[in-house]
């Protein structure tokens, strides 16, 4: 069998690939902060996020005794076909849900669905497990309240970079709710409260979600995989899990690549061929498929990490593909899988 990376590339026009290559040749590569002081300076320079029209409704999602702020976008085209939970990226230490308002307003209209974005707590002020705790709370709130609030129980979830990591970790938590023998990591070395058990886990809610759109996630924080080793010295890892002993960074809640991946909803993985995290994303796609899940991989040539946020035709094509996939998952006939 012949196997080449090019065989996996998404079918995109050659002119889009050429434009993307020219864009990245002319673009000055950036880098993340190397310390908390640099992070604070970058945060201070960030401009206020542009407002969406109509604006988001700001609410407090409450579930299982926990609360987290969320931003809700209702579509203008009548009864929504479903609800999409968006988890923003930013290295676990940057950005807010509000920075995605314009994008999420457009997504709500394109999908004719409600879009809910979660304002999870940021590292290093609130390191792991604060962010997955907050995302789990938002997901539980939707699983319990979407039918009454929005008239639909069909849910999808997604995110980019750190948001994709948190989306997958959230699905693993939902699947394992109530399970007495769910894997929690080597020798259960990390206290249960650090695995998200601050949020009580009475029932399995995974069946409410019909799809997960995961863009270039960081799935290994342990520096044991090829991609994980390349980013091992990045400050965002220190900020997010620097307090976690090295041997415990393979906990699925920290590094989802090491999880039992059975019983998850269909997944779309989007990654660029020039992404430093390419190998781990390909590994995740293989592991999800080997675990019996429905997996679709969209691999884009000439694309680095974060490419769907860049002003290129290639990014627009990738985003259109994500939208089409989510629309299909939210438009399936029949009820969602029972929980």
């Amino acid at each position: 069998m012949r196997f080449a990376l090019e065989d996996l590339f998404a079918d995109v026009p050659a002119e889009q690939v050429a434009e993307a290559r020219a864009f990245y040749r002319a673009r000055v590569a950036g880098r993340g902060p190397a310390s908390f002081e640099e992070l604070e300076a970058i945060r201070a320079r960030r401009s206020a996020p542009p407002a969406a029209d109509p604006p988001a409704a700001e609410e407090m999602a409450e579930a299982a005794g926990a609360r987290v702020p969320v931003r809700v976008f209702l579509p203008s085209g009548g009864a929504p076909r479903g609800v999409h939970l968006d988890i923003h990226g930013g290295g676990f230490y940057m950005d807010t849900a509000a920075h995605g308002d314009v994008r999420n307003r457009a997504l709500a209209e394109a999908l004719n669905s409600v879009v809910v974005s979660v304002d999870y707590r940021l590292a290093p002020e609130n390191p792991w497990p604060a962010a997955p705790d907050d995302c789990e709370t938002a997901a539980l709130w939707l699983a319990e309240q979407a039918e009454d609030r929005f008239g639909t129980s069909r849910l999808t979830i997604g995110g980019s970079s750190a948001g994709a990591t948190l989306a997958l970790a959230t699905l693993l938590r939902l699947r394992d709710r109530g399970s007495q023998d769910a894997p929690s990591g080597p020798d259960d070395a990390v206290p249960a409260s650090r695995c998200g058990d601050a949020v009580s886990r009475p029932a399995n809610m995974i069946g409410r979600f019909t799809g997960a759109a995961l863009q270039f996630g960081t799935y290994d924080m342990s520096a044991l995989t090829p991609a994980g080793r390349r980013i091992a010295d990045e400050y965002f890892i220190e900020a997010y899990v620097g307090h976690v002993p090295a041997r415990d960074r393979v906990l699925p809640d920290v590094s989802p690549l090491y999880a039992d991946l059975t019983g998850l909803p269909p997944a779309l993985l989007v990654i660029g061929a020039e992404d430093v995290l390419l190998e781990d994303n390909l590994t995740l796609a293989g592991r999800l498929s080997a675990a019996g899940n429905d997996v679709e991989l969209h691999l884009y040539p000439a694309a680095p990490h974060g490419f769907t946020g860049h002003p290129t035709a290639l990014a627009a094509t990738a985003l259109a593909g994500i939208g089409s996939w989510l629309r299909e998952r939210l438009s399936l006939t029949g009820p969602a899988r029972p929980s």
Side-chain angles (χ1 to χ4, degrees), residues 2-11 21 273-274 299-301:
R2 177 180 180 272
F3 181 82
L5 191 65
E6 292 80 5
D7 295 336
L8 303 177
F9 283 167
D11 186 15
R21 292 194 189 284
E274 306 299 325
L299 174 61
Y300 290 89

Side-chain angles (χ1 to χ4, degrees), residues 102-239:
V102 172
R103 171 177 52 83
N104 283 326
R105 164 51 60 197
L107 186 61
E109 302 301 341
L111 299 179
N112 191 33
S113 297
V114 179
V115 175
V116 174
S117 57
V118 53
D119 223 355
Y120 60 86
R121 288 167 290 170
L122 298 178
E125 297 90 337
N126 298 282
W128 178 83
D133 281 351
D134 289 347
C135 295
E136 182 184 16
T137 296
L140 283 175
W141 177 69
L142 285 178
E144 296 168 354
Q145 302 292 330
E147 180 69 44
D148 291 339
R149 285 289 311 277
F150 308 119
T152 175
S153 61
R154 190 168 297 281
L155 308 175
T156 56
I157 190 171
S160 60
S161 195
T165 312
L166 292 169
L168 183 53
T170 297
L171 290 173
L172 292 169
R173 286 181 173 213
L174 295 182
R175 183 201 60 190
D176 293 342
R177 288 177 61 79
S179 172
Q180 298 303 307
D181 56 357
S184 58
D187 302 324
D188 297 321
V190 174
S193 63
R194 289 189 179 178
C195 292
D197 287 344
V199 179
S200 62
R201 297 168 175 251
N204 187 325
M205 296 286 189
I206 191 68
R208 310 293 172 85
F209 285 82
T210 65
L214 308 175
Q215 303 177 50
F216 37 82
T218 305
Y219 302 117
D220 172 44
M221 305 286 180
S222 71
L224 295 178
T225 66
R229 286 193 290 273
R230 290 192 191 99
I231 62 173
D233 294 331
E234 294 283 345
Y235 172 66
F236 80 86
I237 291 182
E238 174 63 25

Side-chain angles (χ1 to χ4, degrees), residues 17-78:
V17 178
E19 181 215 24
R21 292 194 189 284
F23 174 80
Y24 291 116
R25 280 197 301 268
R27 179 173 176 262
V28 177
R31 68 168 183 85
S35 66
F36 182 59
E37 291 71 26
E38 285 191 20
L39 174 61
E40 285 189 306
I42 293 172
R43 286 174 174 174
R45 292 196 300 268
R46 292 280 285 176
S47 58
D53 184 23
E58 299 179 50
E59 297 194 31
M60 190 67 68
E62 300 187 36
R67 307 168 78 236
V68 62
V70 295
R71 303 176 72 80
V72 180
F73 300 84
L74 298 175
S76 59

